[in-house]
Amino acid sequence: MRTRSQVIIAGGGPVGVGLAVDLGLRGISCALVERRVGMHNIPKGQNLAQRTLERFYFWGCVDELRAQRMLPPEVPASGVTAYKSLMSEYWHAFAGRETVNEFYFQKNDRMPQYLLENVLRRKMASLPLVEAHFGWAARSVEQDETGVLVALDHEAGDGARAVLEGDYVVGCDGGHSIVREEAGIRRAGADFDQVMMLAVFRSRELSRGLKRFPMQSTYRVLHPDLNGYWQFFGRIDPEEGWFFHSPVPHDTTRDNFDFAALLHKVAGFKFACEFDHVGFWDLRVALAERYRAGRVFIAGDAAHSHPPYGGFGLNNGLEDVANLGWKLAARLNGWGGEDLLNSYDEERRPVFKEIGDEFIAARIKWEGEIINRYDPEREAQAFRQAWAELKTGSSPIVANYEPNYEGSPVVFGPPNGVSRARGDYMFSARAGHHLAPRTLSSGRNVFEELGDGFALLAFGVPDSAVAPVAASARARHIPLKVIRDSYAGGREDYAARLVLVRPDQYVAWAGDAAPADADEVMRTVAGLAS
Ligand SMILES: Cc1cc2nc3c(=O)[nH]c(=O)nc-3n(C[C@H](O)[C@H](O)[C@H](O)COP(=O)(O)OP(=O)(O)OC[C@H]3O[C@@H](n4cnc5c(N)ncnc54)[C@H](O)[C@@H]3O)c2cc1C
């Protein structure tokens, strides 16, 4: 066991392993500690957003990931919503994240989380700078101005203990994070005081019984008795693999409840099924009050936990990685400042606050109110209208989800900009927003040219417009790649001739001419301004 690494990562779920891969590829040594030796076989996060696939592209394993998909490519990642049961006359198919595919370099996808984790673990094993310790649990964390100490227990029950030293520690240790507790970071949020069950099962009869619908990935039922909480079937494979989650009474255990009867009620028909797993969790949205305490950071479910409503968990955890990985590397490599590390919290926390409050908690309330407004037996016409409102109301939830960092102190967003989850999809390059893909004259995509540092897109501008930015980057050892091309062929859609792109493919600054003070721009985006 190496005693000192630059970064210690506690927790080897998808977020911890993703961070280890990101840092390992950036030349940062890390030690990853994971309590479990084997993998769990619960499909969990299946709905992979475009940004998650972009991560895998930059990590060099996107084709390997896509090859894991279990559903045929023509099956959309989205699904249907029905009233009371899947046999109801009230149902609609809803549009998923595929509607915004053109704004990303990679399309969204769908597969069980453990298949994604397998790809990540294989990638991590290929990186010499990453040392993984499976079967060890982080017990305590201490820090001072020189570094951190993480004490470990061997989970094999042999009483073995170890201590790791590092410059930073990142807690990716899930909702019950020890690292978060040790750092004294509290959480706040909405507790719905509702127990949920999760079942993984196999049933060909259920697959056959749903032939009335176009082939979909998910089947969601909203019941007026359940306050907007979901009853949810998700396909694992095209023939027989399923998962299901639903509210259940508080005192439910594996032994005192008829899970098959609940599944039949929600499906609206009886079918034979074999259970592989039944588990429980509490329905709550919880957000850490800060993502950093000195040399301690938290990411993924350790920073934000919530029900699996909308595919925000895994995807947002990997977006935390995209945001934090390059900043830690920049600081450790000497060209990034403290402001850059602070900006991880300043950019990511407000985004998740809005996701938790509006895309999850408010949606539960809104959907609960709509389906309780009228009784379809007695007020059919009014109910039909309310049901139509639910259909049109949930689509903008997808379309308006455009996380951005307009309020970040390390990007040149609009005056009074705020970082948030809601935004508009556009091809124009706006500071604080994700860069949209465009094709270069070479036929390659801009994303294929972006490296792992900053990139300056320079379209139809003289060398004198590029030189001050490049000179400042050189002087400050900030990695910068200049990508030149004409301001035509679709690149004019960026509506800016010069676009400074961060290592996480977010725009830091955009304009038509060299900035008045190029060094001020580079100092700010590297977190060196104060
Ligand atoms: C039914 C279901 C469906 C879901 N669907 C989606 C979806 O479609 N899209 C989506 O984006 N998300 C989805 N999610 C959420 C997603 O699964 C989680 O957000 C994701 O697993 C979070 O990853 P993580 O690495 O932060 O945490 P975890 O996956 O919880 O991993 C944390 C790891 O830390 C380890 N650990 C804990 N304590 C210690 C310690 N002290 N020392 C060492 N190791 C420790 C644990 O063993 C674990 O492996 C779903 C979840 C469920 C339950």
Side-chain angles (χ1 to χ4, degrees):
M1 207 180 258
R2 182 173 60 207
T3 48
R4 186 159 183 116
S5 306
Q6 289 172 293
V7 179
I8 300 168
I9 300 167
V15 174
V17 179
L19 183 62
V21 168
D22 196 81
L23 290 172
L25 286 170
R26 292 181 188 282
I28 301 298
S29 65
C30 19
L32 175 129
V33 183
E34 165 57 46
R35 160 175 279 156
R36 286 178 295 133
V37 176
M39 294 280 301
H40 57 67
N41 269 347
I42 303 169
K44 294 191 2 186
Q46 296 234 23
N47 194 348
L48 307 183
Q50 294 87 350
R51 275 294 283 169
T52 291
L53 275 296
E54 284 185 3
R55 284 286 55 64
F56 279 75
Y57 169 80
F58 284 102
W59 291 337
C61 47
V62 73
D63 294 336
E64 201 190 329
L65 181 71
R66 290 209 192 271
Q68 309 294 312
R69 185 181 167 101
M70 296 178 84
L71 291 169
E74 61 279 9
V75 179
S78 51
V80 300
T81 297
Y83 176 73
K84 268 191 170 174
S85 100
L86 291 177
M87 292 298 109
S88 148
E89 67 178 283
Y90 299 103
W91 69 272
H92 57 254
F94 58 88
R97 301 260 325 146
E98 61 274 9
T99 54
V100 292
N101 268 340
E102 63 179 330
F103 295 97
Y104 294 91
F105 178 54
Q106 295 287 324
K107 293 186 168 60
N108 64 330
D109 213 327
R110 184 171 179 87
M111 70 192 63
Q113 181 170 315
Y114 51 81
L115 296 179
L116 171 144
E117 289 190 50
N118 278 335
V119 174
L120 277 180
R121 281 198 182 191
R122 277 198 293 276
K123 185 73 192 182
M124 178 173 75
S126 74
L127 300 172
L129 286 171
V130 181
E131 211 180 63
H133 307 294
F134 292 103
W136 289 84
R139 183 181 73 248
S140 66
V141 177
E142 287 173 37
Q143 62 169 315
D144 62 20
E145 50 298 339
T146 62
V148 295
L149 292 179
V150 179
L152 313 182
D153 286 338
H154 199 207
E155 292 284 279
D158 56 3
R161 294 189 151 191
V163 176
L164 296 177
E165 289 175 37
D167 294 303
Y168 297 99
V169 59
V170 185
C172 303
D173 46 347
H176 303 288
S177 170
I178 290 283
V179 175
R180 187 186 63 231
E181 265 174 35
E182 287 284 296
I185 300 175
R186 286 180 311 190
R187 289 196 299 177
D191 187 343
F192 298 93
D193 195 24
Q194 174 64 60
V195 175
M196 304 287 294
M197 55 88 64
L198 169 68
V200 182
F201 65 95
R202 280 164 289 127
S203 173
R204 285 179 187 261
E205 285 184 20
L206 175 61
S207 304
R208 282 197 291 274
L210 297 180
K211 291 262 192 271
R212 71 182 292 222
F213 300 115
M215 180 74 162
Q216 299 282 342
S217 296
T218 62
Y219 302 82
R220 184 174 75 121
V221 168
L222 294 175
H223 195 289
D225 293 347
L226 294 177
N227 300 321
Y229 307 146
W230 303 3
Q231 296 179 305
F232 191 94
F233 289 97
R235 275 186 200 277
I236 299 171
D237 61 45
E239 286 93 31
E240 59 170 9
W242 290 93
F243 72 88
F244 172 79
H245 57 78
S246 168
V248 284
H250 272 96
D251 55 356
T252 305
T253 67
R254 281 192 188 83
D255 308 316
N256 70 1
F257 192 83
D258 188 347
F259 296 104
L262 177 62
L263 263 58
H264 298 162
K265 185 167 170 239
V266 179
F269 60 94
K270 286 198 168 168
F271 54 88
C273 61
E274 276 180 70
F275 287 95
D276 293 326
H277 167 88
V278 175
F280 302 96
W281 83 87
D282 295 325
L283 188 71
R284 73 163 68 94
V285 178
L287 177 65
E289 64 182 6
R290 56 206 162 108
Y291 284 8
R292 178 184 187 188
R295 292 176 173 274
V296 182
F297 294 83
I298 49 174
D301 278 16
H304 41 79
S305 17
H306 46 84
Y309 287 15
F312 292 115
L314 171 61
N315 292 309
N316 269 282
L318 291 176
E319 192 63 52
D320 294 344
V321 169
N323 194 285
L324 181 60
W326 72 272
K327 293 175 178 175
L328 276 173
R331 186 80 184 113
L332 286 161
N333 287 330
W335 59 265
E338 275 300 296
D339 292 355
L340 200 56
L341 288 185
N342 287 333
S343 72
Y344 166 60
D345 174 299
E346 290 158 343
E347 293 179 351
R348 295 297 302 148
R349 243 178 53 79
V351 167
F352 201 85
K353 176 93 178 87
E354 197 168 71
I355 291 174
D357 290 351
E358 294 188 25
F359 287 81
I360 301 176
R363 184 182 181 186
I364 291 173
K365 187 161 174 278
W366 176 70
E367 290 187 331
E369 281 167 7
I370 286 200
I371 56 165
N372 272 301
R373 213 179 281 160
Y374 304 105
D375 180 343
E377 308 271 307
R378 294 195 311 267
E379 304 155 290
Q381 182 56 24
F383 180 83
R384 220 167 261 123
Q385 268 170 12
W387 187 251
E389 187 185 330
L390 191 130
K391 180 181 178 187
T392 50
S394 52
S395 300
I397 288 175
V398 176
N400 291 344
Y401 178 66
E402 193 260 339
N404 64 78
Y405 311 137
E406 283 195 350
S408 169
V410 297
V411 304
F412 288 82
N416 307 320
V418 288
S419 301
R420 54 183 309 192
R422 248 180 234 291
D424 298 313
Y425 279 94
M426 295 180 187
F427 286 105
S428 48
R430 295 160 294 159
H433 291 256
H434 174 258
L435 182 78
R438 295 280 85 184
T439 309
L440 296 166
S441 330
S442 64
R444 282 165 68 79
N445 198 286
V446 170
F447 272 64
E448 293 175 276
E449 291 295 332
L450 299 173
D452 54 9
F454 277 88
L456 181 64
L457 311 183
F459 296 142
V461 290
D463 285 350
S464 58
V466 171
V469 178
S472 167
R474 234 182 351 264
R476 298 186 173 280
H477 307 288
I478 300 171
L480 176 77
K481 179 176 179 186
V482 179
I483 301 169
R484 293 170 200 271
D485 210 326
S486 58
Y487 193 52
R491 293 174 294 282
E492 68 279 17
D493 292 348
Y494 283 139
R497 287 167 188 267
L498 285 165
V499 182
L500 183 63
V501 187
R502 308 197 312 186
D504 60 357
Q505 303 88 45
Y506 270 72
V507 175
W509 173 90
D512 277 327
D517 185 344
D519 193 50
E520 192 224 333
V521 170
M522 292 315 289
R523 270 192 301 123
T524 302
V525 300
L528 298 163
S530 60

